[in-house]
Amino acid sequence: MVKVIFVCLGNICRSPMAEAVFRDMVEKEGLADKIQIDSAATSTWEQGNPVHKGTVDRLAKENISTKGMFSRTLEDKDLDYDYIVGMDESNIKNIKKFVAGRESGQIKMLLEYAGDKSSIADPWYTGDFDKTYQDVLRGTRALLEVIKGDLRNG
Ligand code: 4NP
């Protein structure tokens, strides 16, 4: 089992989008029993809140549902994930502060898996959920290729 957790500031816009898009992709590839997927926030600001309407509406166009998903904050048990995937530089800084040198999975920004050092813009501020979706799709596709490699190598 390979374990992946997507992390952003609020866990209502970007990381739940990445979680739902990646889960859909993994299910379509028949790998759902081999890859565990979750998402979390670096803050407590949106704790318990549902996914942002902008994310819900953009994903509905892809027939992807976010039903039953609610914001939660990153916790100690998440150190167990093999891939802790942030959306921007600030997420990475906050994840590393939380990990505080303890043993953890690989901590990287999502687009790094697509060979791109850029952040995924926060639609909470930009309002551009489509741009975020395109970036999330590019990043998650690249991450899935990396993980398929892991699965092949046992
Ligand atoms: P996210 O976006 O980190 O992509 O979920 C945000 C959601 C909420 C807030 C900021 C960013 N907020 O300030 O509450």
Side-chain angles (χ1 to χ4, degrees), residues 50-114:
V51 177
H52 191 289
K53 186 175 185 305
T55 289
V56 172
D57 289 351
R58 183 61 191 84
L59 294 186
K61 291 185 191 172
E62 312 300 324
N63 282 316
I64 296 174
S65 167
T66 56
K67 201 159 169 269
M69 293 170 65
F70 298 93
S71 174
R72 71 161 179 95
T73 305
L74 197 62
E75 36 190 333
D76 283 352
K77 68 173 173 59
D78 300 325
L79 293 171
D80 192 38
Y81 279 83
D82 302 296
Y83 292 88
I84 303 177
V85 185
M87 300 294 135
D88 61 29
E89 300 278 7
S90 163
N91 299 154
I92 298 299
K93 213 176 84 196
N94 287 324
I95 292 165
K96 287 186 173 165
K97 203 191 290 178
F98 171 77
V99 170
R102 292 175 289 176
E103 196 181 322
S104 80
Q106 182 177 83
I107 302 166
K108 279 192 182 185
M109 288 200 294
L110 180 55
L111 285 176
E112 286 187 70
Y113 295 102

Side-chain angles (χ1 to χ4, degrees), residues 14 87-90 109 111 116-121 135:
R14 293 166 296 172
M87 300 294 135
D88 61 29
E89 300 278 7
S90 163
M109 288 200 294
L111 285 176
D116 182 340
K117 287 279 183 200
S118 48
S119 290
I120 295 192
D135 283 345

